[in-house]
């Protein structure tokens, strides 16, 4: 088990009792260390599988660890006993298991959260840039990540936001709803209020391992500190130079805090990089060295070769896109219209050794993708574009899940409101008002539907429509109790009429395909057991998790989405002031340092070749702007960089009109 590990990796794996801090630089094999350490603890009978908890920040990372552990353990079935998942999915499962009341709590969808915030803002006549719903949701999320209540915000002189937060949270609690952040904070508050529950959970898990520790916020750190207090067998793995989620509440100082709270912790650094050439590592080190960081990793690679980084200085975003496409075609040896022509006379060893799937184009904001997409399309180059949202974040998918949730809990007014007239069944606003009126009288929503289907005072179409809705829900309940989740989704997609209603929507079909695919991951258990966990898991998937490594296509994504991925050739576009770094005047030094770390993360995605580009002017967000070169470019050692001057394309003059003759 240990023969393929280097010395630092072996030390980390063989560490058993007590706290451990593993600083793992980019490409140093941290997932290998985590999985080998778990396997080592179990195989040497230091701990039972059910006493191990492994926490990640992405659902895909948890699945990858599961696959690796199945190959490492002498009994692959032990993997199912390990509590492994994201912070939120593990918290959700512990909440559901702790009391009957917790099991009844429903996780609110992003769409429902947005609608609730809009309603609260409308009630208080709040509008303007600072009161955009997404921005308010972000601020409330940050408050919950810091374990702050509405009263805490009021003390901080943010009274308006505190009022919105208070009303929002009151609605959630009244309707037995949780938002994404509540999964962590609710469990922390329960542990602090119920020592017996905390003690039970502490005894359940003797060894806790945390991946991507640099992404931890205050609530998650408190969560870990409480859970590991008796035994202190906490192993955290992270990289201070890859802390790029400050806007979500993470803070690079979490490493210093860990060392203060766990002074006995052994520190191990993983610094041998197995991904990139030494040239790329030297360039990335030149950038990140401008951040003051005593816990940085000095990466090195046995691959001392590798081409120089290429820097293209372009006129505008159109020429930048053309430059990227030209570079891809050059490296492919010619790729126009999907045809790759091999040439024995090529002057460059770089050419003809790549496929379309070996290229990634990275940028700071989604707004930069359009000219790149147009240029790739014009050249006939296949690509996959990772968007801002998960591919299942559509009305069709939300509606399908609301049907299943209501079938599981017919007292859920929130889900009934979603499915009441979707697909359209003639139950308009008057029918909805009648239903709400009955429920306001204290009648259960399911009973109100039954009464409506038999109420002769209501129009006949209301009676028929509500009766059909009830029959659909009863059918779904039977399916849920007898079939697996993936089978239930397939049947429900048809029986609810959603498939027919959304049949003209490509995004709806694609979102259903993803739901069906993800539903098969838990592994064949009855849907009644897996639906709550599945709903929690859906919120754990990051945009980058939907990257398909098997696709023979160029990948386009933001710098943040590229975290955790790697490619033979990486393009980083838009190295310009006010774009990369993307900072504002009122932001401090830490914001600039985080932007530098973001570039460092992007640079260390490249295995063989790294190509950078900057423009003199750029059309972005509806305006043409003059651009200054990013200050980060000057931080790259000149010995690592080859600057390419691309001449401005000359506009062709229209041919002079000439009189045509017959002879």
């Amino acid at each position: 088990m240990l023969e393929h590990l280097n010395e630092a990796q072996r030390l980390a794996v063989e560490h058993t009792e007590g706290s451990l801090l593993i600083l793992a630089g980019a490409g140093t094999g941290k997932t290998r260390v985590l999985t080998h350490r778990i396997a080592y603890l179990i195989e040497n009978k230091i701990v039972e599988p059910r006493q191990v908890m492994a926490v990640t920040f992405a659902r895909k990372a948890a699945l990858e660890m599961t696959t690796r552990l199945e190959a490492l353990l002498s009994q692959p079935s032990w993997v199912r006993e390990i509590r492994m998942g994201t912070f939120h999915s593990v918290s959700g499962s512990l909440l559901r298991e702790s009391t009957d009341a917790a099991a009844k709590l429903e996780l609110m969808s992003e769409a429902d959260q947005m609608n609730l915030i809009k309603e609260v803002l409308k009630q208080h006549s709040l509008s303007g840039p600072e009161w955009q719903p997404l921005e308010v949701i972000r601020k409330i999320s940050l408050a919950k990540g810091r374990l702050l209540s509405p009263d805490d915000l009021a003390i901080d002189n943010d009274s308006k936001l505190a009022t919105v937060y208070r009303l929002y949270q009151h609605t959630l609690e009244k309707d037995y709803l949780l938002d994404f952040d509540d999964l962590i904070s609710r469990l922390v508050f329960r542990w602090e209020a119920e020592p017996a529950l905390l003690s039970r959970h502490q005894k359940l898990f003797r060894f806790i391992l945390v991946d991507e520790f640099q992404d931890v916020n205050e609530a998650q750190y408190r969560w870990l500190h409480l859970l590991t207090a008796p035994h202190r067998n906490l192993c955290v793995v992270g990289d201070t130079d890859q802390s790029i989620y400050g806007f979500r509440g993470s803070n690079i100082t979490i490493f210093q805090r860990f060392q203060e709270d766990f002074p006995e912790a052994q520190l191990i650094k993983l610094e041998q990089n197995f991904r990139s050439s030494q040239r790329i590592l030297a360039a990335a080190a030149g950038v990140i060295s401008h951040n003051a960081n005593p816990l940085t990793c000095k990466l090195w690679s046995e691959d001392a070769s590798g081409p120089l980084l290429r820097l293209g200085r372009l006129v505008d975003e159109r020429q930048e896109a053309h430059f990227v496409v030209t570079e891809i075609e050059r490296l492919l040896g010619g790729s126009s219209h999907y045809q790759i022509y091999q040439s024995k006379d090529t002057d460059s060893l770089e050419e003809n050794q790549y496929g379309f799937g070996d290229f990634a184009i990275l940028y700071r904001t989604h707004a930069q993708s359009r000219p790149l997409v147009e240029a790739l399309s014009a050249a006939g180059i296949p690509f996959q574009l990772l968007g801002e949202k998960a591919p299942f974040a559509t009305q069709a998918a939300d509606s399908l899940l609301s049907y299943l949730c209501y079938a599981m809990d017919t007292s859920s007014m929130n889900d009934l409101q979603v499915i009441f007239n979707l697909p359209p069944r003639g139950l308009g606003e008057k029918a909805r008002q009648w239903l709400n009126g009955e429920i306001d009288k204290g009648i259960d929503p399911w009973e109100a539907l039954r009464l409506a289907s038999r109420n002769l005072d209501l129009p006949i179409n209301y009676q028929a429509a509500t009766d059909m809705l009830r029959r659909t829900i009863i059918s779904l309940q039977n399916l849920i109790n007898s079939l697996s989740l993936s089978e239930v989704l397939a049947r429900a997609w048809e029986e609810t009429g959603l498939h027919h209603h959304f049949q003209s929507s490509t995004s709806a079909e694609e979102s259903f395909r993803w739901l069906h695919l993800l539903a098969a991951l838990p592994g064949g258990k009855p849907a009644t057991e897996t639906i709550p966990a599945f709903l929690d898991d859906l919120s754990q998937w990051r945009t980058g998790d939907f990257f398909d490594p098997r696709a023979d296509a160029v990948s386009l994504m933001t710098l943040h989405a590229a975290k955790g991925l790697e490619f033979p050739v990486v393009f980083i576009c838009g190295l310009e002031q006010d774009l990369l770094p993307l900072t504002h005047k009122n932001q401090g030094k830490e914001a600039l340092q985080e932007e530098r770390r973001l570039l460092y993360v992007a640079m260390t995605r490249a295995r063989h070749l790294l190509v950078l580009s900057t423009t003199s002017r750029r059309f972005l967000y509806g305006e043409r702007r003059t651009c200054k070169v990013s200050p980060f470019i000057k931080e790259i050692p000149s010995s690592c960089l080859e600057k390419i001057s691309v001449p401005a394309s000359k506009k062709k003059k229209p041919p002079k009109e000439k009189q045509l003759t017959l002879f």
Side-chain angles (χ1 to χ4, degrees), residues 621-639:
Y621 301 123
E623 64 177 9
R624 175 69 61 185
R625 58 174 72 177
T626 301
C627 304
K628 294 181 180 179
V629 174
S630 170
F632 296 154
I633 290 179
K634 296 179 181 179
E635 298 173 356
I636 300 174
S638 58
S639 59

Side-chain angles (χ1 to χ4, degrees), residues 295-358:
L295 294 177
T296 191
C297 288
K298 296 181 180 179
L299 300 183
W300 61 274
S301 171
E302 291 182 346
D303 179 10
S305 61
L308 292 168
L309 282 68
R310 295 167 66 83
L311 172 63
R313 296 177 179 270
L314 298 313
V315 174
D316 58 20
E317 74 280 358
R318 297 291 171 187
Q319 193 186 35
E320 179 183 52
H322 178 71
F323 166 73
V324 170
V325 168
T326 301
E327 284 288 285
I328 291 174
E329 291 183 336
R330 178 182 68 82
L331 293 166
L332 287 168
S335 64
S336 182
H337 302 291
Y338 297 89
Q339 295 181 12
I340 303 175
Y341 299 98
Q342 300 293 338
S343 172
K344 296 180 181 179
D345 300 324
T346 179
D347 294 328
S348 173
L349 293 176
E350 295 173 9
E351 297 179 12
N352 302 328
Q353 60 179 305
Y354 303 111
F356 290 120
D358 292 328

